Amino acid sequence: MTMVVLVGTLDTKGLEYGWLRERLLRRGVDVVVVDTGVAGSPRIPADVERAEVARAAGVDLEALRARGDRGAAVTAMARGAEATVLRLHREGRLHGVLAIGGSGGTSIATRAMRALPLGVPKVMVSSMAAGDVSPYVGSADITMMYSVVDIAGVNRVSEPILANAADAVAGMAEGFAAASRALVPGEWGGDGAPPVAASMAGVTTPGVDAARERMTELGYEVLVFHASGAGGRTLESLAGQRLFAGVLDLTVCELADDLYGGLLTAGPDRLTAAGRAGVPQVVSPGALDMVKFGPVDTVPERMRDRHVHVHNPSITVVRTTEEECAELGRLLAAKLRGATGPTAVCLPLRGLSTLGQPGGPYHDPAADKALFDALRDGLRGSAVEVVEVDTHINDPSFGRAAAKLLHRMITRVSTTSR
Protein backbone atom coordinates (compact mmCIF):
# COMPACT_ATOMS: atom_id res chain seq x y z
CA MET A 1 0.00 0.00 0.00
CA THR A 2 1.25 3.47 -0.87
CA MET A 3 1.89 5.60 2.21
CA VAL A 4 2.25 9.39 2.38
CA VAL A 5 3.51 11.00 5.58
CA LEU A 6 2.12 14.42 6.53
CA VAL A 7 4.48 16.39 8.76
CA GLY A 8 3.02 19.47 10.38
CA THR A 9 2.06 21.65 13.29
CA LEU A 10 -1.44 20.46 14.09
CA ASP A 11 -2.04 23.19 16.66
CA THR A 12 -1.97 25.93 14.01
CA LYS A 13 -2.61 24.02 10.76
CA GLY A 14 -4.90 21.21 11.92
CA LEU A 15 -7.85 22.13 9.71
CA GLU A 16 -5.65 22.25 6.61
CA TYR A 17 -3.89 18.98 7.44
CA GLY A 18 -7.26 17.32 8.01
CA TRP A 19 -8.32 18.47 4.55
CA LEU A 20 -5.11 17.11 3.00
CA ARG A 21 -5.52 13.77 4.75
CA GLU A 22 -9.04 13.37 3.38
CA ARG A 23 -7.88 14.32 -0.11
CA LEU A 24 -5.14 11.69 -0.02
CA LEU A 25 -7.41 8.99 1.40
CA ARG A 26 -9.88 9.62 -1.44
CA ARG A 27 -6.98 9.04 -3.82
CA GLY A 28 -6.53 5.59 -2.27
CA VAL A 29 -3.32 6.54 -0.49
CA ASP A 30 -2.76 5.64 3.16
CA VAL A 31 -1.65 8.48 5.42
CA VAL A 32 0.50 8.83 8.53
CA VAL A 33 0.18 12.20 10.29
CA VAL A 34 3.16 13.37 12.35
CA ASP A 35 2.42 16.22 14.78
CA THR A 36 5.32 18.65 15.21
CA GLY A 37 3.40 21.42 16.97
CA VAL A 38 4.99 23.24 19.87
CA ALA A 39 2.15 25.34 21.30
CA GLY A 40 -1.60 24.68 21.67
CA SER A 41 -3.61 21.48 21.47
CA PRO A 42 -3.72 19.65 18.13
CA ARG A 43 -6.88 20.26 16.13
CA ILE A 44 -6.88 16.76 14.60
CA PRO A 45 -5.50 13.48 15.97
CA ALA A 46 -2.07 12.35 14.81
CA ASP A 47 -0.63 8.90 14.17
CA VAL A 48 2.70 10.09 15.61
CA GLU A 49 2.03 12.57 18.40
CA ARG A 50 4.26 15.47 19.35
CA ALA A 51 5.37 13.78 22.59
CA GLU A 52 6.80 10.94 20.52
CA VAL A 53 8.51 13.39 18.16
CA ALA A 54 10.00 15.22 21.15
CA ARG A 55 11.28 11.94 22.59
CA ALA A 56 12.91 11.18 19.24
CA ALA A 57 14.69 14.53 19.59
CA GLY A 58 15.74 13.69 23.15
CA VAL A 59 14.05 16.72 24.71
CA ASP A 60 11.31 17.55 27.18
CA LEU A 61 8.92 19.65 25.10
CA GLU A 62 6.89 20.74 28.09
CA ALA A 63 10.00 22.05 29.81
CA LEU A 64 10.94 24.05 26.72
CA ARG A 65 7.44 25.46 26.50
CA ALA A 66 7.48 26.38 30.18
CA ARG A 67 10.66 28.40 29.60
CA GLY A 68 8.97 30.17 26.70
CA ASP A 69 11.82 29.28 24.38
CA ARG A 70 9.94 28.81 21.12
CA GLY A 71 13.12 28.84 19.02
CA ALA A 72 14.60 25.94 20.96
CA ALA A 73 11.29 24.08 20.79
CA VAL A 74 11.04 24.48 17.00
CA THR A 75 14.65 23.34 16.58
CA ALA A 76 14.00 20.30 18.78
CA MET A 77 10.85 19.34 16.89
CA ALA A 78 12.71 19.65 13.60
CA ARG A 79 15.30 17.22 14.94
CA GLY A 80 12.54 14.90 16.14
CA ALA A 81 10.71 15.10 12.82
CA GLU A 82 13.92 14.09 11.06
CA ALA A 83 14.35 11.05 13.30
CA THR A 84 10.68 10.12 12.90
CA VAL A 85 10.53 10.21 9.09
CA LEU A 86 13.79 8.28 8.86
CA ARG A 87 12.28 5.59 11.10
CA LEU A 88 9.12 5.45 8.99
CA HIS A 89 11.24 5.19 5.85
CA ARG A 90 13.30 2.33 7.32
CA GLU A 91 10.06 0.55 8.24
CA GLY A 92 8.77 0.84 4.68
CA ARG A 93 5.94 3.16 5.76
CA LEU A 94 6.97 6.22 3.78
CA HIS A 95 6.70 6.54 0.02
CA GLY A 96 6.33 10.30 0.01
CA VAL A 97 6.15 13.22 2.41
CA LEU A 98 4.00 16.36 2.25
CA ALA A 99 4.00 19.41 4.48
CA ILE A 100 2.49 22.89 4.59
CA GLY A 101 3.58 25.84 6.67
CA GLY A 102 5.02 29.27 7.23
CA SER A 103 8.60 29.90 8.29
CA GLY A 104 8.53 27.66 11.37
CA GLY A 105 6.61 24.79 9.83
CA THR A 106 8.75 24.95 6.70
CA SER A 107 11.95 24.81 8.77
CA ILE A 108 10.72 21.78 10.70
CA ALA A 109 9.41 19.80 7.73
CA THR A 110 12.23 20.49 5.30
CA ARG A 111 14.85 19.39 7.81
CA ALA A 112 13.06 16.03 7.87
CA MET A 113 12.82 15.99 4.07
CA ARG A 114 16.51 16.76 3.60
CA ALA A 115 17.41 13.71 5.68
CA LEU A 116 15.57 11.34 3.34
CA PRO A 117 17.39 9.68 0.43
CA LEU A 118 17.40 11.27 -2.99
CA GLY A 119 14.40 10.03 -4.97
CA VAL A 120 11.92 9.84 -2.09
CA PRO A 121 9.09 12.27 -3.08
CA LYS A 122 9.12 15.44 -0.98
CA VAL A 123 6.60 18.29 -1.42
CA MET A 124 6.57 21.47 0.68
CA VAL A 125 3.77 24.04 0.31
CA SER A 126 5.01 27.21 1.96
CA SER A 127 4.33 30.91 2.23
CA MET A 128 8.13 31.27 2.10
CA ALA A 129 8.52 29.63 -1.30
CA ALA A 130 8.51 32.84 -3.36
CA GLY A 131 11.80 33.99 -1.81
CA ASP A 132 15.21 32.40 -1.32
CA VAL A 133 14.43 28.75 -0.56
CA SER A 134 18.05 27.55 -0.44
CA PRO A 135 18.09 27.30 3.40
CA TYR A 136 15.08 24.98 3.21
CA VAL A 137 16.02 22.92 0.14
CA GLY A 138 19.76 22.65 0.64
CA SER A 139 20.91 19.98 -1.81
CA ALA A 140 17.78 17.83 -1.51
CA ASP A 141 15.19 17.11 -4.23
CA ILE A 142 12.40 19.00 -2.44
CA THR A 143 9.54 20.33 -4.53
CA MET A 144 8.64 23.78 -3.17
CA MET A 145 5.18 25.21 -3.92
CA TYR A 146 4.26 28.79 -3.12
CA SER A 147 1.01 28.94 -1.14
CA VAL A 148 0.15 32.42 -2.59
CA VAL A 149 -1.98 33.22 0.47
CA ASP A 150 -0.95 32.40 4.00
CA ILE A 151 -1.93 28.92 5.11
CA ALA A 152 -4.87 29.94 7.26
CA GLY A 153 -7.95 28.03 6.20
CA VAL A 154 -9.05 26.34 3.00
CA ASN A 155 -10.46 28.95 0.65
CA ARG A 156 -10.93 29.70 -3.03
CA VAL A 157 -7.21 30.43 -3.45
CA SER A 158 -5.63 27.87 -1.14
CA GLU A 159 -7.92 24.94 -2.02
CA PRO A 160 -6.65 24.34 -5.58
CA ILE A 161 -3.06 24.76 -4.42
CA LEU A 162 -3.46 22.24 -1.60
CA ALA A 163 -5.32 19.90 -3.96
CA ASN A 164 -2.49 20.09 -6.49
CA ALA A 165 0.05 19.37 -3.78
CA ALA A 166 -1.86 16.36 -2.46
CA ASP A 167 -2.50 14.98 -5.94
CA ALA A 168 1.12 15.53 -6.91
CA VAL A 169 2.59 13.74 -3.90
CA ALA A 170 0.05 10.91 -4.27
CA GLY A 171 1.15 10.33 -7.87
CA MET A 172 4.82 10.59 -6.96
CA ALA A 173 4.41 8.21 -4.02
CA GLU A 174 2.54 5.65 -6.10
CA GLY A 175 5.30 5.67 -8.69
CA PHE A 176 7.99 5.53 -6.03
CA ALA A 177 6.33 2.63 -4.19
CA ALA A 178 6.19 0.66 -7.42
CA ALA A 179 9.77 1.38 -8.49
CA SER A 180 11.60 2.25 -5.22
CA ARG A 181 13.84 4.81 -6.87
CA ALA A 182 15.78 6.03 -3.83
CA LEU A 183 19.54 6.08 -4.33
CA VAL A 184 21.43 3.77 -2.00
CA PRO A 185 25.23 3.75 -1.61
CA GLY A 186 26.83 0.93 -3.57
CA GLU A 187 23.53 -0.20 -5.14
CA TRP A 188 23.64 1.03 -8.70
CA GLY A 189 20.37 -0.61 -9.73
CA GLY A 190 18.94 -0.89 -13.25
CA ASP A 191 21.62 -2.11 -15.61
CA GLY A 192 24.20 -1.89 -12.86
CA ALA A 193 26.11 1.00 -14.45
CA PRO A 194 28.11 2.61 -11.62
CA PRO A 195 27.28 6.32 -11.31
CA VAL A 196 30.02 8.90 -11.65
CA ALA A 197 29.63 12.60 -10.84
CA ALA A 198 31.13 15.25 -13.10
CA SER A 199 31.27 19.02 -12.64
CA MET A 200 30.81 21.29 -15.64
CA ALA A 201 30.30 24.92 -16.63
CA GLY A 202 29.69 26.47 -20.01
CA VAL A 203 33.39 27.28 -20.33
CA THR A 204 34.43 23.64 -19.73
CA THR A 205 31.60 21.88 -21.56
CA PRO A 206 33.58 20.43 -24.53
CA GLY A 207 36.20 18.86 -22.27
CA VAL A 208 33.68 17.47 -19.79
CA ASP A 209 31.53 16.15 -22.63
CA ALA A 210 34.53 14.24 -23.99
CA ALA A 211 35.16 12.78 -20.53
CA ARG A 212 31.49 11.92 -20.13
CA GLU A 213 31.36 10.16 -23.48
CA ARG A 214 34.44 8.10 -22.66
CA MET A 215 33.12 7.16 -19.20
CA THR A 216 29.85 6.08 -20.82
CA GLU A 217 31.77 3.89 -23.27
CA LEU A 218 33.54 2.33 -20.28
CA GLY A 219 30.20 1.36 -18.72
CA TYR A 220 29.44 4.22 -16.30
CA GLU A 221 26.41 6.44 -15.86
CA VAL A 222 27.66 10.02 -15.67
CA LEU A 223 25.69 12.57 -13.66
CA VAL A 224 26.70 16.13 -14.55
CA PHE A 225 26.44 18.95 -12.01
CA HIS A 226 26.53 22.57 -13.08
CA ALA A 227 29.25 24.43 -11.19
CA SER A 228 26.79 27.16 -10.25
CA GLY A 229 27.05 27.12 -6.47
CA ALA A 230 23.98 24.97 -5.89
CA GLY A 231 25.38 22.34 -8.25
CA GLY A 232 28.64 22.13 -6.35
CA ARG A 233 26.88 21.89 -3.01
CA THR A 234 24.69 19.07 -4.35
CA LEU A 235 27.68 17.19 -5.72
CA GLU A 236 29.38 17.51 -2.34
CA SER A 237 26.31 16.28 -0.47
CA LEU A 238 25.81 13.20 -2.64
CA ALA A 239 29.52 12.37 -2.77
CA GLY A 240 29.59 12.52 1.02
CA GLN A 241 26.82 9.92 1.07
CA ARG A 242 29.00 7.64 -1.15
CA LEU A 243 26.37 7.60 -3.88
CA PHE A 244 29.03 7.71 -6.62
CA ALA A 245 31.61 5.18 -7.69
CA GLY A 246 33.87 8.10 -8.54
CA VAL A 247 33.98 11.84 -9.09
CA LEU A 248 35.30 13.62 -12.17
CA ASP A 249 35.63 17.12 -10.72
CA LEU A 250 36.94 18.99 -13.74
CA THR A 251 35.30 22.37 -13.00
CA VAL A 252 36.07 23.97 -9.65
CA CYS A 253 35.43 27.65 -10.40
CA GLU A 254 33.21 27.83 -7.30
CA LEU A 255 36.44 27.89 -5.26
CA ALA A 256 37.45 31.18 -6.87
CA ASP A 257 34.01 32.65 -6.30
CA ASP A 258 34.14 31.66 -2.64
CA LEU A 259 37.62 33.09 -2.12
CA TYR A 260 37.14 36.36 -3.99
CA GLY A 261 33.50 37.27 -3.39
CA GLY A 262 32.01 35.89 -6.58
CA LEU A 263 28.36 35.11 -7.19
CA LEU A 264 28.42 31.33 -7.61
CA THR A 265 30.12 30.07 -4.48
CA ALA A 266 29.45 26.59 -3.19
CA GLY A 267 30.84 27.47 0.23
CA PRO A 268 34.16 26.67 1.92
CA ASP A 269 33.53 22.91 2.00
CA ARG A 270 33.62 22.52 -1.79
CA LEU A 271 36.02 19.77 -2.88
CA THR A 272 36.12 17.98 0.47
CA ALA A 273 33.29 15.43 0.58
CA ALA A 274 34.56 12.85 -1.92
CA GLY A 275 38.00 12.90 -0.34
CA ARG A 276 36.59 12.58 3.17
CA ALA A 277 34.37 9.67 2.06
CA GLY A 278 37.22 7.88 0.30
CA VAL A 279 35.53 8.09 -3.11
CA PRO A 280 38.00 7.95 -6.04
CA GLN A 281 38.31 11.39 -7.61
CA VAL A 282 40.05 13.06 -10.51
CA VAL A 283 40.22 16.83 -10.15
CA SER A 284 41.18 19.56 -12.59
CA PRO A 285 41.57 23.31 -11.91
CA GLY A 286 38.99 23.94 -14.59
CA ALA A 287 37.72 27.55 -14.86
CA LEU A 288 39.89 28.84 -12.02
CA ASP A 289 40.97 31.52 -14.48
CA MET A 290 37.89 33.55 -13.60
CA VAL A 291 35.62 34.87 -10.87
CA LYS A 292 31.93 35.16 -11.69
CA PHE A 293 29.70 38.09 -10.77
CA GLY A 294 26.19 39.15 -11.73
CA PRO A 295 25.41 41.88 -14.29
CA VAL A 296 28.40 44.01 -15.23
CA ASP A 297 27.53 46.79 -12.78
CA THR A 298 27.91 44.33 -9.87
CA VAL A 299 31.63 43.78 -10.51
CA PRO A 300 33.52 45.19 -7.48
CA GLU A 301 35.29 48.48 -8.04
CA ARG A 302 38.64 46.88 -7.17
CA MET A 303 38.33 44.52 -10.17
CA ARG A 304 36.98 46.82 -12.87
CA ASP A 305 40.41 47.65 -14.26
CA ARG A 306 40.99 44.00 -15.14
CA HIS A 307 39.87 42.05 -18.19
CA VAL A 308 36.10 41.99 -17.61
CA HIS A 309 34.08 39.72 -19.89
CA VAL A 310 30.28 39.76 -20.17
CA HIS A 311 29.38 36.06 -20.34
CA ASN A 312 25.66 36.84 -20.64
CA PRO A 313 23.37 39.60 -19.28
CA SER A 314 23.26 37.87 -15.89
CA ILE A 315 26.88 36.74 -15.53
CA THR A 316 30.08 38.77 -15.83
CA VAL A 317 33.50 37.22 -15.32
CA VAL A 318 36.83 38.70 -14.26
CA ARG A 319 40.23 37.14 -14.98
CA THR A 320 42.14 35.93 -11.91
CA THR A 321 45.61 37.40 -11.41
CA GLU A 322 48.89 35.56 -10.95
CA GLU A 323 48.72 36.15 -7.20
CA GLU A 324 45.15 34.89 -7.00
CA CYS A 325 45.99 31.84 -9.12
CA ALA A 326 48.87 30.99 -6.80
CA GLU A 327 46.56 31.27 -3.81
CA LEU A 328 43.98 29.06 -5.53
CA GLY A 329 46.68 26.49 -6.28
CA ARG A 330 47.64 26.35 -2.61
CA LEU A 331 43.98 26.04 -1.60
CA LEU A 332 43.37 23.26 -4.09
CA ALA A 333 46.42 21.35 -2.86
CA ALA A 334 45.36 21.66 0.78
CA LYS A 335 41.92 20.27 0.00
CA LEU A 336 43.28 17.36 -2.04
CA ARG A 337 45.87 16.44 0.58
CA GLY A 338 43.01 15.76 2.99
CA ALA A 339 41.54 13.01 0.80
CA THR A 340 41.36 9.51 2.26
CA GLY A 341 40.69 7.76 -1.06
CA PRO A 342 42.47 7.59 -4.42
CA THR A 343 42.94 11.12 -5.73
CA ALA A 344 44.59 12.57 -8.80
CA VAL A 345 44.82 16.02 -10.30
CA CYS A 346 44.91 16.55 -14.07
CA LEU A 347 46.60 19.76 -15.23
CA PRO A 348 45.57 21.14 -18.66
CA LEU A 349 48.82 22.99 -19.35
CA ARG A 350 47.52 25.14 -22.22
CA GLY A 351 44.40 26.64 -20.67
CA LEU A 352 41.65 26.24 -18.07
CA SER A 353 38.53 27.28 -20.02
CA THR A 354 37.21 28.35 -23.41
CA LEU A 355 38.23 31.90 -22.49
CA GLY A 356 41.64 30.78 -21.26
CA GLN A 357 42.69 28.46 -24.07
CA PRO A 358 45.14 29.70 -26.74
CA GLY A 359 43.61 32.60 -28.65
CA GLY A 360 41.04 33.27 -25.91
CA PRO A 361 40.79 36.58 -24.06
CA TYR A 362 41.88 35.00 -20.78
CA HIS A 363 44.83 33.07 -22.14
CA ASP A 364 47.57 33.95 -19.63
CA PRO A 365 50.33 31.32 -19.40
CA ALA A 366 52.04 33.17 -16.53
CA ALA A 367 48.92 33.16 -14.35
CA ASP A 368 48.24 29.50 -15.16
CA LYS A 369 51.84 28.63 -14.35
CA ALA A 370 51.52 30.33 -10.96
CA LEU A 371 48.53 28.09 -10.22
CA PHE A 372 50.24 24.92 -11.45
CA ASP A 373 53.47 25.64 -9.55
CA ALA A 374 51.63 26.32 -6.28
CA LEU A 375 49.57 23.17 -6.75
CA ARG A 376 52.61 21.01 -7.47
CA ASP A 377 54.46 22.44 -4.48
CA GLY A 378 51.47 21.92 -2.19
CA LEU A 379 51.10 18.27 -3.23
CA ARG A 380 54.79 17.37 -3.05
CA GLY A 381 55.25 14.33 -0.81
CA SER A 382 51.52 13.52 -0.78
CA ALA A 383 49.74 10.47 -2.16
CA VAL A 384 47.92 12.61 -4.75
CA GLU A 385 48.92 11.74 -8.29
CA VAL A 386 49.67 14.71 -10.57
CA VAL A 387 49.10 14.14 -14.29
CA GLU A 388 50.07 16.86 -16.77
CA VAL A 389 48.35 16.98 -20.15
CA ASP A 390 49.92 19.23 -22.76
CA THR A 391 46.69 20.68 -24.10
CA HIS A 392 43.85 22.92 -22.94
CA ILE A 393 40.91 21.65 -20.89
CA ASN A 394 38.46 21.59 -23.80
CA ASP A 395 40.57 19.48 -26.10
CA PRO A 396 38.83 16.07 -26.30
CA SER A 397 42.12 14.36 -25.50
CA PHE A 398 42.14 16.01 -22.07
CA GLY A 399 38.65 14.76 -21.21
CA ARG A 400 39.51 11.26 -22.37
CA ALA A 401 42.73 11.26 -20.33
CA ALA A 402 40.85 12.29 -17.18
CA ALA A 403 38.22 9.59 -17.79
CA LYS A 404 40.87 6.93 -18.33
CA LEU A 405 42.55 7.91 -15.08
CA LEU A 406 39.33 7.76 -13.05
CA HIS A 407 38.37 4.40 -14.56
CA ARG A 408 41.76 3.01 -13.57
CA MET A 409 41.31 4.25 -9.99
CA ILE A 410 37.76 2.87 -9.67
CA THR A 411 38.83 -0.48 -11.09
CA ARG A 412 41.74 -0.69 -8.66
CA VAL A 413 39.47 0.07 -5.68
CA SER A 414 36.89 -2.45 -6.87
CA THR A 415 39.50 -5.16 -7.31
CA THR A 416 41.07 -4.47 -3.92
CA SER A 417 37.73 -4.61 -2.09
CA ARG A 418 36.79 -8.04 -3.40
Side-chain angles (χ1 to χ4, degrees), residues 27-71:
R27 284 287 307 257
V29 175
D30 274 357
V31 180
V32 172
V33 180
V34 177
D35 182 14
T36 59
V38 299
S41 300
R43 299 174 65 180
I44 63 169
D47 301 284
V48 181
E49 297 181 359
R50 65 179 63 171
E52 184 176 345
V53 176
R55 281 196 298 273
V59 299
D60 183 339
L61 182 59
E62 293 305 316
L64 289 177
R65 288 177 60 187
R67 292 206 307 265
D69 193 343
R70 185 179 185 278

Side-chain angles (χ1 to χ4, degrees), residues 307-378:
H307 195 135
V308 176
H309 177 82
V310 178
H311 185 62
N312 61 48
S314 300
I315 299 292
T316 307
V317 298
V318 177
R319 211 318 175 175
T320 43
T321 65
E322 284 188 44
E323 293 76 14
E324 289 168 347
C325 283
E327 186 175 16
L328 286 165
R330 290 189 290 270
L331 175 66
L332 195 58
K335 287 176 177 288
L336 296 180
R337 287 184 73 99
T340 62
T343 300
V345 59
C346 258
L347 303 182
L349 298 181
R350 295 183 181 269
L352 306 177
S353 69
T354 53
L355 298 178
Q357 65 194 45
Y362 281 4
H363 184 57
D364 186 342
D368 291 349
K369 183 176 184 300
L371 191 156
F372 297 149
D373 287 348
L375 184 53
R376 293 187 194 99
D377 288 346

Side-chain angles (χ1 to χ4, degrees), residues 48-405:
V48 181
E49 297 181 359
R50 65 179 63 171
E52 184 176 345
V53 176
R55 281 196 298 273
V59 299
D60 183 339
L61 182 59
E62 293 305 316
L64 289 177
R65 288 177 60 187
R67 292 206 307 265
D69 193 343
R70 185 179 185 278
V74 168
T75 300
M77 294 306 274
R79 190 166 65 248
E82 175 184 347
T84 300
V85 299
L86 286 174
R87 174 178 61 79
L88 293 170
H89 179 257
R90 287 194 302 269
E91 295 171 355
R93 299 171 60 204
L94 187 154
H95 302 113
V97 58
L98 170 63
I100 57 177
S103 59
T106 304
S107 295
I108 291 171
T110 54
R111 171 164 176 170
M113 293 177 183
R114 290 194 302 271
L116 290 166
L118 187 73
V120 177
K122 314 164 184 75
V123 178
M124 181 75 230
V125 182
S126 174
S127 57
M128 307 298 290
D132 178 11
V133 299
S134 58
Y136 302 120
V137 175
S139 58
D141 55 333
I142 298 174
T143 301
M144 297 288 292
M145 291 180 64
Y146 181 42
S147 62
V148 181
V149 294
D150 201 357
I151 299 171
V154 180
N155 52 56
R156 68 178 66 193
V157 174
S158 64
E159 180 173 351
I161 294 169
L162 296 178
N164 285 342
D167 293 349
V169 79
M172 293 179 191
E174 288 165 355
F176 177 79
S180 189
R181 291 185 293 264
L183 295 184
V184 179
E187 296 182 14
W188 313 133
D191 59 5
V196 164
S199 58
M200 184 169 77
V203 293
T204 62
T205 295
V208 177
D209 275 349
R212 178 174 57 84
E213 290 166 6
R214 182 57 184 144
M215 292 301 292
T216 301
E217 292 170 356
L218 290 167
Y220 299 91
E221 179 185 21
V222 182
L223 312 177
V224 179
F225 295 84
H226 187 197
S228 60
R233 288 192 297 273
T234 304
L235 189 158
E236 293 295 311
S237 174
L238 299 181
Q241 297 173 51
R242 297 181 176 85
L243 294 178
F244 306 128
V247 174
L248 202 59
D249 216 343
L250 302 186
T251 312
V252 293
C253 48
E254 293 150 319
L255 296 179
D257 281 25
D258 187 61
L259 204 57
Y260 301 118
L263 178 68
L264 304 181
T265 173
D269 293 331
R270 180 71 173 92
L271 204 64
T272 60
R276 189 168 55 245
V279 176
Q281 59 178 337
V282 172
V283 177
S284 163
L288 284 182
D289 52 1
M290 64 187 70
V291 184
K292 296 185 176 72
F293 297 95
V296 67
D297 60 0
T298 67
V299 175
E301 189 69 37
R302 70 183 189 280
M303 294 184 172
R304 291 186 181 181
D305 61 345
R306 300 195 202 172
H307 195 135
V308 176
H309 177 82
V310 178
H311 185 62
N312 61 48
S314 300
I315 299 292
T316 307
V317 298
V318 177
R319 211 318 175 175
T320 43
T321 65
E322 284 188 44
E323 293 76 14
E324 289 168 347
C325 283
E327 186 175 16
L328 286 165
R330 290 189 290 270
L331 175 66
L332 195 58
K335 287 176 177 288
L336 296 180
R337 287 184 73 99
T340 62
T343 300
V345 59
C346 258
L347 303 182
L349 298 181
R350 295 183 181 269
L352 306 177
S353 69
T354 53
L355 298 178
Q357 65 194 45
Y362 281 4
H363 184 57
D364 186 342
D368 291 349
K369 183 176 184 300
L371 191 156
F372 297 149
D373 287 348
L375 184 53
R376 293 187 194 99
D377 288 346
L379 292 175
R380 191 167 287 115
S382 75
V384 178
E385 183 177 1
V386 178
V387 177
E388 301 184 2
V389 184
D390 192 23
T391 185
H392 59 80
I393 195 168
N394 286 315
D395 188 296
S397 64
F398 178 82
R400 289 194 292 268
K404 179 181 179 181
L405 182 57

